[in-house]
Amino acid sequence: MPGEKGQECFSNEAKSSARFGRRSSFRFCWKRSRRWNMITAGTRICRKGGFMRYSEMFLPTGREVPSDAELISHQLMIRAGMMRKLTSGVYSYLPLGYLVIRKFEQIVREEMNRAGAQELFMPMVQPAELWQESGRWVHYGKELLRFRDRHDRECCLGPTHEEVITDLVRNDIKTYRQLPRNLYQIQTKFRDEIRPRFGVMRCREFGMKDAYSFDMDEAGAETSYRKMFDAYQRIFSRCGLRFRPVEADSGSIGGNFSHEFMVMADSGEDAVCYCGGCNYAANLEKAEIARPATKQKKSKNSPMEEVHTPNVRTIDEVCDFLSVSPEDVVKTLIFSADEAAVAILIRGDHEVNEAKVRNFLGCASLELADEEMIRKATGSSRGFAGAVGIRCRILADYSLMEMNDCVMGANREDYHFRHVKPGRDFTIADYADLRIIREFDTCPRCGGEIQFARGIEVGHVFKLGTKYSRAMKAVYLDRNGKEQVMVMGCYGIGIGRTVAAAIEQNHDADGIVWPLPLAPYAVIITPVNVNETGLSDAAEALYRNLSEAGIETILDDRDERAGVKFKDADLIGIPYRVTVGPKRLADGKMEIKNRRTGETTILPVSEVAPFLSARIRESGGTDG
RNA sequence: CGGGGCGUAGCGCAGCCCGGUAGCGCGCCUGCUUUGGGAGCAGGAUGCCGUAGGUUCAAAUCCUACCGCCCCGACCA
């Protein structure tokens, strides 16, 4: 038990404390809990912080870059002994990695609790019935890992917990007096990803903080959403990450509004756009494009003309053949929207954003039409579709509003029209924002210039509305005794992914450079040679001092050469290294090196602990 | 699921074409020397050569099937 007197941990017989490592790491996980405070009440030391002797730690570092790791964070997490792969998309965290995970989880807990959410813990195995009730047993797809138990009952591993939480709440929340509620857990999820990759960044089994809010009405839900949004800002700020909340499409979880929290990194899987002028930011799928204010440009009003374009199908071929630029061509794409043909008109140099089309049409399925549907709608094969005379609904992107002398397919094999004028030669029923935003487009909010960047999605906040509460009858009685449907929100943070993202943003040629709040230890003490008793004793004494000061410290007491220890210290990214060597110690001094800046400070032994305490406090490393 | 690549010592790899003693570097163990940026010397251990069949006097090597891993794509929170 960790409840024994703290002093025992630091017997003067420094080298005999083999048990200390084990006990102290247990302490660490309780460090800010009420129980721990009770346990340690009255003891002078070990109040907080983790301590470790390197020689006793299971910390296998490696020099070689693992051959199957592509991302720098993945490589470093393996090399730094943070994790190991069990099988595709499934990883074990080793002690060092798990320390960091818990550091982050603790920050998440503190901010969730501060925002008024309550922690609970739900099962990973879930019965099919709940998913059938929400409709997702059918719709979720193959990422939902399904299986049968010994009684042949259908089950799944939870990829998310809307069903379970909604079931919990509907059974025990009956009245408006019990609302609002926000419940969260930090728990393992399983999503049977089609292609796991990038280590813990996109894996199948992963830790996630998921929170769910239940409110009486839209206004309440809005408040809950805002609270979570703010909490997320604090969480990622506290970790010292460069991030950006971006507007996002709500995807298949359902609902009507969401923000993604993106940690900015060139290696990120997601493209985001943002405005240099205002704070507008969105993922590419969601990014709006303003309706153009200008009318059609003036032109000489030439009559439409059919031209023979043998085997000229793509935009490039059309441009070459007719000596026009893509901005003068209209692409006509035939989609099958819930089995019905729809023609999407878009400027030749633009790309269709299928999410926007889907949202505009409100259809369940949308895919490019097959050859047969194209022929039916246009009377021609792929590559010659155009709006003139087409036999299906026409939807045009806003960009068409400015075009008036364009080239488009003639719905006839090997023919295109030129000098086509929308409005004169055919009619457009609906204009909408249907294209994918491009870099240097105009910001839909302020008219500034849109820029692109890449990011890693570490958090996502959704307004779910009543999608689940309605399907699963999560209702309450209002003041008037009338039954109302609860309004929900859900809020996720990828735990391991955030840690990996932090490495993507914080590393150099020598290894990881932890931001202090995530660092497994704040300080590493490196006696240059443990066989010189003077050095060893001085290092041990400092280890004791730092521990008493509550500074999380690892003592590199291995009988290794200095170079090896320095390399490992850099690799695992400990923010401060105290080198205990003969040159400085002869003058009663030690050297402190800042991992990030490389800055070294030489101080008398007695000033080392106060100096580190002050630095760490400044950086928000110990208290949060 | 389609395309490509790879499975040989803990890690990184050679050997395979052209069948015949299983190798290199790092790591690991022992000893001596060394000790402020991944030490030197000497000695040593470690392999179902992914699995199963087949061809052959003989298979890491050739053939077939399967399994696993990685990359690209399709797909998707």
Side-chain angles (χ1 to χ4, degrees), chain A residues 247 273-284 286-292 356 398 433 435-438 440-452:
Chain A
E247 293 181 16
C273 65
Y274 63 96
C275 173
C278 66
N279 64 4
Y280 180 76
N283 73 17
L284 290 203
K286 170 79 177 180
E288 301 158 33
I289 293 149
R291 187 188 178 102
K356 288 179 177 177
Y398 284 148
D433 170 17
R435 72 176 172 93
I436 296 174
I437 199 163
R438 294 192 308 182
F440 313 123
D441 273 344
T442 304
C443 170
R445 296 281 186 276
C446 76
E449 195 171 76
I450 287 293
Q451 323 225 299
F452 276 18

Side-chain angles (χ1 to χ4, degrees), chain A residues 334-343 369 373-374 377 391-394:
Chain A
I334 314 296
F335 280 88
S336 166
D338 292 342
E339 314 299 316
V342 179
M373 186 179 271
I374 291 173
R391 292 180 297 272
C392 68
R393 180 172 179 187
I394 295 175

Side-chain angles (χ1 to χ4, degrees), chain A residues 92-117:
Chain A
S92 301
Y93 284 106
L94 273 39
L96 189 79
Y98 196 47
L99 280 174
V100 179
I101 293 289
R102 285 192 314 220
K103 281 270 182 177
F104 180 56
E105 287 180 351
Q106 187 55 29
I107 291 171
V108 170
R109 281 201 174 90
E110 287 169 11
E111 294 302 336
M112 292 304 292
N113 294 345
R114 191 209 296 253

Side-chain angles (χ1 to χ4, degrees), chain A residues 9 136 180 209 226 237 287 302 366 417 451 454 464 489 561:
Chain A
C9 305
R136 288 207 290 185
K209 187 285 302 175
R226 193 75 225 172
S237 298
S302 326
L366 183 79
F417 286 128
Q451 323 225 299
R454 300 200 70 81
L464 285 177
R561 295 168 63 88

Side-chain angles (χ1 to χ4, degrees), chain A residues 287-535:
Chain A
E288 301 158 33
I289 293 149
R291 187 188 178 102
T294 45
K295 288 270 158 54
Q296 282 186 339
K297 292 174 216 152
K298 289 233 165 75
S299 75
K300 42 187 196 285
N301 213 13
S302 326
M304 184 169 86
E305 171 193 355
E306 194 174 45
V307 283
H308 186 54
T309 54
N311 213 24
V312 171
R313 290 165 192 269
T314 67
I315 296 294
D316 285 347
E317 289 164 358
V318 170
C319 291
D320 272 1
F321 192 87
L322 296 175
S323 303
V324 293
S325 67
E327 292 96 83
D328 299 322
V329 180
V330 172
K331 259 196 288 206
T332 306
L333 293 160
I334 314 296
F335 280 88
S336 166
D338 292 342
E339 314 299 316
V342 179
I344 307 296
L345 307 186
I346 195 161
R347 216 169 79 183
D349 57 328
H350 290 159
E351 296 296 327
V352 170
N353 182 331
E354 293 188 23
K356 288 179 177 177
V357 175
R358 195 174 290 125
N359 288 341
F360 184 87
L361 293 172
C363 58
S365 81
L366 183 79
E367 52 193 8
L368 277 171
D370 56 22
E371 203 64 40
E372 189 194 334
M373 186 179 271
I374 291 173
R375 191 162 287 280
K376 223 166 149 187
T378 69
S380 172
S381 67
R382 198 183 294 271
F384 300 101
V388 182
I390 200 165
R391 292 180 297 272
C392 68
R393 180 172 179 187
I394 295 175
L395 243 177
D397 180 68
Y398 284 148
S399 53
L400 271 281
M401 294 170 81
E402 296 177 302
M403 299 177 74
N404 69 351
D405 183 356
C406 45
V407 171
M408 66 165 54
N411 293 330
R412 180 179 168 201
E413 203 78 20
D414 291 340
Y415 283 89
H416 280 77
F417 286 128
R418 65 175 160 203
H419 308 310
V420 178
K421 186 168 185 173
R424 180 192 68 187
D425 301 318
F426 65 97
T427 317
I428 296 171
D430 296 296
Y431 284 102
D433 170 17
L434 301 176
R435 72 176 172 93
I436 296 174
I437 199 163
R438 294 192 308 182
E439 193 156 24
F440 313 123
D441 273 344
T442 304
C443 170
R445 296 281 186 276
C446 76
E449 195 171 76
I450 287 293
Q451 323 225 299
F452 276 18
R454 300 200 70 81
I456 300 161
E457 182 195 344
V458 291
H460 203 160
V461 291
F462 281 85
K463 274 165 74 175
L464 285 177
T466 56
K467 173 174 168 147
Y468 296 94
S469 44
R470 194 174 295 281
M472 297 180 65
K473 301 186 185 60
V475 296
Y476 67 96
L477 292 182
D478 69 11
R479 254 171 254 273
N480 306 314
K482 236 185 107 194
E483 193 173 277
Q484 303 284 355
V485 179
M486 296 180 202
V487 182
M488 293 172 58
C490 74
Y491 317 94
I493 289 179
I495 301 293
R497 187 183 276 189
T498 304
V499 168
I503 296 173
E504 288 294 324
Q505 258 187 14
N506 296 281
H507 68 269
D508 63 17
D510 293 315
I512 302 169
V513 184
W514 288 117
L516 200 55
L518 294 180
Y521 299 97
V523 177
I524 182 164
I525 303 171
T526 307
V528 147
N529 183 348
V530 291
N531 296 316
E532 286 183 39
T533 49
L535 297 185

